[in-house]
Amino acid sequence: MAFSIVGILAVLLEAFRPLIPLIVAVVVADIALLAYTVSKGQFAHAKARRLSLWAGAAFMVGAFLVGPSLTQVTFGSFLSITDWVMLGAMSVGVGIAGFVLTLPMTSLIKF
Amino acid sequence: MSQKSSNAGPNHGRRKFLQVSGLGLAATAGTGIMTSKALAKVKTNARVVIIGAGAAGLDAANRLSRELDGAQITIIDSRVEHIYQPGLTLVATGLWKASKVMDENARYMPDGIDWIQARVIEFDPETNSVLTDTGQRVAYDYLMVTTGLQVNYSGVEGMSPELIGQMGIGCVYDNPNHATRTWNMIDQFTDVGGVGLFTRPRGPVKCAGAPLKVTMLSEDLLERKGNRDKAQLFYTPPAKGLFSQPEINEFLKEELPSRGISLLWDHPLVGIEPELKRATFETPEGNQTLDYDFIHVVPPMQAPDPLANSPLSWKTGRFAAGGWMEVDQHTLQHPRFQNVFGSGDCVGTPVGKTAASVKAQVPVAVANMVSSIADRELSARYNGYTSCPLVTRKGQALLVEFDYDLKMVPSFPFVNPYEKHWFPWMLKDRMLHAAYNAMLRGRV
């Protein structure tokens, strides 16, 4: 089965449809913070990047640990390296999202 | 049987007009000026009627409404609720709540189409019309048949849907109510144990993996409850195979016995005596009876009666017995009534009857109907793609995808389709419902 970007986005939209109001609120707040910190010339300074990296790492580890339980099972259901790699890849995705989402917030912190 | 071309019928002039407008647009697109699919709408005043608002019908309605400009699209179905049928095995085995598979058709109906809330009781392709149970005759220029199928409870003597959830009888098919009542029976059975019979009828059934999944998940539940020793499990296929795809068939022939599930070949269920908890099977050695404490009844299935009894059904060959709709297995166009297309559970094709088949069939049927309207060649082809996340235990599954040639066609090359993984389970549990909903909107 071939995949398309539109198809993948459509599936993600359906997966998160119940959370759309919350997601929109977070994204709007994030964009507002981004605009503010950019205008103040303090977006993504070194300390902010470091803090967001830690936040992203925390998101990643959290996603890795709770991933199986979100599917009603434990790590005991993992039978192959594929399962670990897929969970790892999904956790990295969550970690990157965490980094990106927290960066405008951490940029508020003074140098 | 009469032969009919796409230009025959009462609306020859209308169809000619829309073909010409379609041709003009196609020619424009051919120059490369119009490269966006959104701009490649075919102008038409055709009356397009879709029968059935299940997965295939809603997907087709959304796609047709996007790809046609000016068409009068009508969908006919009395059902207001929409059921996510791929989730019924999980409801029947206690892994999902029934509410998770309940939805409403209205959420997926595209704007600008007419929804006639009635049931079609007669197909008349000779006059390009259908008759509803409210007495309304609806004429069409093009027809998309997506009726789904009919579960024939009476095909098992002594069986009726009211028995599901009583006297040890379960049946995962048809609706969440049946699945919930089946769960009540499986929950009891896995508490106390006894003899469990898991049946599979002759002929095509929707989601052919479902009887196997119910069997393996029941065994898994016995294991998880610590009651595996209390139960004897039997799987009763109607012939000497478990699955149409050969490698998966071999896998299952090892997997089931390795878990203490006995295989009773050539055992199609033909009758039950609920009070006695006794089942009758038609075997090559004559009828045999088995007593049970729990039985998962999978009745025979066929095309809905109005379709099966219409000129649209197969009249000869392997699909005639079930009254399945005759279509070219690649273009999904009816070979005799060329303004009629079909997709989903109702069509007689060698492989299909899964939501994944719908996902692959509907874009083909719609593209070819649009091509027909535009008087272009039917270039879209369905290769028989179907898929089944074959759940073997809670948390483990095989991701089985194959085509008409029964060759594996994995979407994820890094996932070995012959090995159990958590990843396909994760897809089944968390992602495929979203993919299904996106499909209803015609987006995947």
Side-chain angles (χ1 to χ4, degrees), chain B residues 79 83 85-86 88-89 147-151 153 172-175 200-201 203-211 213 298-302 324 344-346 352-355:
Chain B
R79 292 171 297 180
I83 299 164
Q85 294 191 57
L88 291 179
T89 47
T147 59
L149 57 68
Q150 167 180 310
V151 180
Y153 296 97
V172 70
Y173 286 99
D174 251 8
N175 60 56
R200 162 73 159 91
V205 295
K206 72 168 101 183
C207 186
K213 287 184 243 186
V298 183
M301 300 183 195
Q302 65 157 80
W324 306 108
D345 291 349
C346 64
K353 309 206 189 316
T354 66

Side-chain angles (χ1 to χ4, degrees), chain B residues 335-346:
Chain B
R336 286 172 287 120
F337 302 98
Q338 294 180 354
N339 57 335
V340 180
F341 294 77
S343 52
D345 291 349
C346 64

Side-chain angles (χ1 to χ4, degrees), chain B residues 25 39 44 179 264 294 438:
Chain B
L25 213 78
L39 293 175
T44 175
L264 300 178
F294 169 76

Side-chain angles (χ1 to χ4, degrees), chain B residues 35-83:
Chain B
T35 51
S36 161
K37 198 173 178 183
L39 293 175
K41 279 189 166 189
V42 169
K43 275 191 184 298
T44 175
N45 62 352
R47 294 165 304 175
V48 177
V49 173
I50 301 164
I51 311 298
L58 288 172
D59 188 359
N62 277 292
R63 287 175 186 275
L64 285 166
S65 70
R66 277 204 302 274
E67 294 185 25
L68 297 176
D69 180 8
Q72 183 187 325
I73 301 173
T74 302
I75 191 164
I76 305 177
D77 198 322
S78 59
R79 292 171 297 180
V80 175
E81 287 177 343
H82 188 93
I83 299 164

Side-chain angles (χ1 to χ4, degrees), chain A residues 50-87:
Chain A
R50 200 162 49 244
L51 271 172
S52 282
L53 269 176
W54 279 108
F59 273 95
M60 184 178 73
V61 171
F64 192 88
L65 293 176
V66 303
S69 64
L70 290 176
T71 64
Q72 311 185 57
V73 297
T74 64
F75 286 114
S77 294
F78 282 51
L79 296 177
S80 66
I81 188 73
T82 306
D83 292 335
W84 294 101
V85 169
M86 290 312 296
L87 180 62

Side-chain angles (χ1 to χ4, degrees), chain A residues 14 71-72 80 83 86, chain B residues 394 421-423 425 429 441:
Chain A
E14 292 297 331
T71 64
Q72 311 185 57
S80 66
D83 292 335
M86 290 312 296
Chain B
K394 181 183 177 185
H421 299 281
W422 164 79
F423 178 65
W425 163 263
D429 191 49
R441 297 183 198 281

Side-chain angles (χ1 to χ4, degrees), chain B residues 287-353:
Chain B
N287 281 3
Q288 291 189 358
T289 58
L290 288 171
D291 292 338
Y292 61 81
D293 296 287
F294 169 76
I295 185 167
H296 183 238
V297 177
V298 183
M301 300 183 195
Q302 65 157 80
D305 287 330
L307 179 59
N309 298 330
S310 79
L312 295 176
S313 62
W314 283 95
K315 301 306 173 197
T316 57
R318 60 194 277 209
F319 302 116
W324 306 108
M325 180 183 167
E326 185 176 359
V327 289
D328 176 283
Q329 68 178 41
H330 296 294
T331 65
L332 301 174
Q333 182 187 39
H334 198 286
R336 286 172 287 120
F337 302 98
Q338 294 180 354
N339 57 335
V340 180
F341 294 77
S343 52
D345 291 349
C346 64
V347 297
T349 53
V351 169
K353 309 206 189 316

